[in-house]
Amino acid sequence: MGRYTGPACRLCRRVGEKLMLKGTRCATLKCGMEKKTKSSGQRPARRRKVSDYELRLREKQKARFTYGVKEQQFRLSLKRLRRLRVCLVIIWLYCLKRRLDNVAYRLGFAESRNQARQMVQHGHV
Ligand code: SF4
């Protein structure tokens, strides 16, 4: 089972929202999204029109990054759900929320989902 090992704050910046991937640090002023208030460079970043595709892609990425699901895992789970011919998005989100690492995180056993995932892998939960 693979997992993303790169910088977590980069994922937040990519989707433009706080995904709370680093536990308590996310609530402090050390958060990367809090620090970076304006874009780099002399000129302010231009507002561009967000396409429908980009909007949907961003929402999918947000869910993937939040729950720590890889693209391959994501595709396989959707493929399985397609066979059932049900409303995919709701069921998929329901499946993600029922994962043991997410439950451990929501119960407060861990500070972040990554930490909860490690606890599950090490057999503490
Ligand atoms: Fe995202 Fe801020 Fe947490 Fe970094 S510290 S993962 S930018 S919410």
Side-chain angles (χ1 to χ4, degrees), residues 7-13 17-28 30-34:
C9 297
R10 182 181 293 169
L11 301 179
C12 289
R13 283 198 300 271
E17 258 183 52
K18 287 174 92 170
L19 297 178
M20 310 303 259
L21 301 172
K22 282 193 168 179
T24 51
R25 184 191 169 108
C26 302
T28 64
K30 287 182 178 176
C31 168
M33 293 292 282
E34 298 284 341

Side-chain angles (χ1 to χ4, degrees), residues 7-120:
C9 297
R10 182 181 293 169
L11 301 179
C12 289
R13 283 198 300 271
R14 191 181 298 167
V15 296
E17 258 183 52
K18 287 174 92 170
L19 297 178
M20 310 303 259
L21 301 172
K22 282 193 168 179
T24 51
R25 184 191 169 108
C26 302
T28 64
L29 290 176
K30 287 182 178 176
C31 168
M33 293 292 282
E34 298 284 341
K35 275 192 220 166
K36 191 158 178 131
T37 52
K38 64 175 191 172
S39 62
S40 57
Q42 290 182 330
R43 293 184 185 167
R46 274 195 208 149
R47 285 184 144 205
R48 64 187 174 89
K49 193 177 172 194
V50 180
S51 69
D52 232 20
Y53 174 78
E54 187 182 344
L55 202 65
R56 274 187 259 142
L57 177 70
R58 214 181 275 169
E59 288 302 317
K60 185 199 86 176
Q61 300 291 55
K62 211 187 302 175
R64 267 190 351 98
F65 297 154
T66 304
Y67 293 102
V69 181
K70 287 260 185 177
E71 188 65 40
Q72 183 76 14
Q73 247 179 317
F74 174 77
R75 279 208 197 120
L76 284 176
S77 61
L78 279 184
K79 205 173 177 184
R80 259 183 254 132
L81 286 175
R82 251 187 219 124
R83 275 189 230 133
L84 301 174
R85 297 181 191 281
V86 287
C87 182
L88 293 178
V89 177
I90 294 171
I91 302 283
W92 184 69
L93 282 175
Y94 183 68
C95 292
L96 283 177
K97 287 184 181 193
R98 279 183 50 198
R99 281 170 42 138
L100 188 55
D101 56 347
N102 186 54
V103 172
Y105 169 69
R106 301 291 286 185
L107 286 174
F109 294 150
E111 282 186 4
S112 65
R113 283 195 176 81
N114 278 347
Q115 194 180 21
R117 184 188 177 117
Q118 191 179 33
M119 284 171 68
V120 170

